[in-house]
Amino acid sequence: MCHPEAVTRLIAEIDTYLARRDGPGIKDVRDGIARSAGEAARRTAKAAPPSCGHLDEALLAMAGADALRGAIEDIRPQLGWVTYDAYPRAKIGERFPRAHAFVTLIGGAGFIPAEDFALGLFLIAPGTLYRDHFHPAPELYVPLTGPHEWRFGAGESWREYPAHAAIWNEPMQVHATLVRRQPFLALYAWTKDVEGVSVVAAAPDWAEIEARL
Ligand SMILES: [Fe+2]
């Protein structure tokens, strides 16, 4: 179980970090943190390291946000990393289920939600395509490592984003992430409709992309 003061400090560092960023969704996430942060200490997730590994490497690769990195490192032994298991294996592929992990700081299982909001950390191992998918929740990702590539619809072209560039996904917007050599460590937030399930959106080029990773 996370020590409440360590969770509170990490959430405060996330808020300070977000206050320095611009773009769609940042204000929504900061509003969600302001409404919900007091509830974080109720979480009872059991401590577990990320099953995909690569957290050491990701923290080493994280440059330009030292206070936030320090807060993650301080609470790290207490974090309960889990995997997102709602995708059918036949659609999400064999790799993704064992190549990612996330930890919820506000919202999620074991939490008594005061608000319809979720905030946490998301990790993806190098050499992974997080296939195209969509969900009802509006979503903010702020990768703390990078660069990584994103596309916003099957058949759309990939675009590289550096670390600290925020990605905002409107509800039901299809998105996919391509993680090459650098592990992907990001802040994530769902600003509402957090009960909605994420759904894989078929694309014809997964096998070709994955064969080259
Ligand atoms: Fe998403």
Side-chain angles (χ1 to χ4, degrees):
M1 183 174 173
C2 285
H3 192 285
E5 285 171 21
V7 187
T8 301
R9 184 184 156 219
L10 176 53
I11 291 169
E13 288 294 352
I14 289 171
D15 189 56
T16 300
Y17 173 86
L18 290 174
R20 291 194 221 107
R21 322 237 86 77
D22 285 324
I26 301 278
K27 184 179 182 305
D28 292 6
V29 174
R30 294 194 67 215
D31 287 348
I33 290 172
R35 289 196 309 269
S36 316
E39 305 297 318
R42 295 191 202 176
R43 283 193 49 75
T44 56
K46 196 175 158 202
S51 55
C52 60
H54 296 281
L55 182 55
D56 283 335
E57 199 184 334
L59 289 168
L60 280 172
M62 191 179 151
D66 290 347
L68 179 54
R69 179 170 61 187
I72 295 171
E73 282 174 343
D74 284 352
I75 199 176
R76 183 178 170 180
Q78 304 164 48
L79 293 177
W81 294 84
V82 296
T83 55
Y84 189 76
D85 297 326
Y87 296 123
R89 188 69 64 111
K91 292 187 176 172
I92 200 65
E94 289 298 319
R95 178 162 177 80
F96 181 76
R98 57 188 170 81
H100 84 283
F102 72 97
V103 61
T104 307
L105 300 169
I106 299 174
F111 180 73
I112 304 164
E115 298 289 344
D116 185 17
F117 179 73
L119 173 77
L121 303 172
F122 205 100
L123 181 62
I124 304 175
T128 305
L129 169 65
Y130 184 0
R131 293 178 177 181
D132 309 76
H133 61 282
F134 61 93
H135 37 73
E139 173 182 69
L140 183 76
Y141 270 110
V142 190
L144 304 172
T145 60
H148 307 290
E149 291 168 51
W150 295 76
R151 73 177 176 190
F152 303 96
E156 297 295 321
S157 50
W158 291 95
R159 189 173 152 197
E160 192 173 272
Y161 288 77
H164 310 299
I167 307 288
W168 174 247
N169 293 312
E170 296 283 356
M172 311 309 272
Q173 168 68 56
V174 174
H175 50 284
T177 314
L178 191 49
V179 180
R180 296 188 187 275
R181 282 179 295 180
Q182 180 101 254
F184 174 95
L185 177 64
L187 304 177
Y188 83 86
W190 279 10
T191 58
K192 63 176 185 174
D193 295 330
V194 299
E195 300 299 329
V197 172
S198 190
V199 176
V200 176
D205 55 357
W206 291 334
E208 184 191 333
I209 294 165
E210 288 166 352
R212 288 202 210 131
L213 283 171

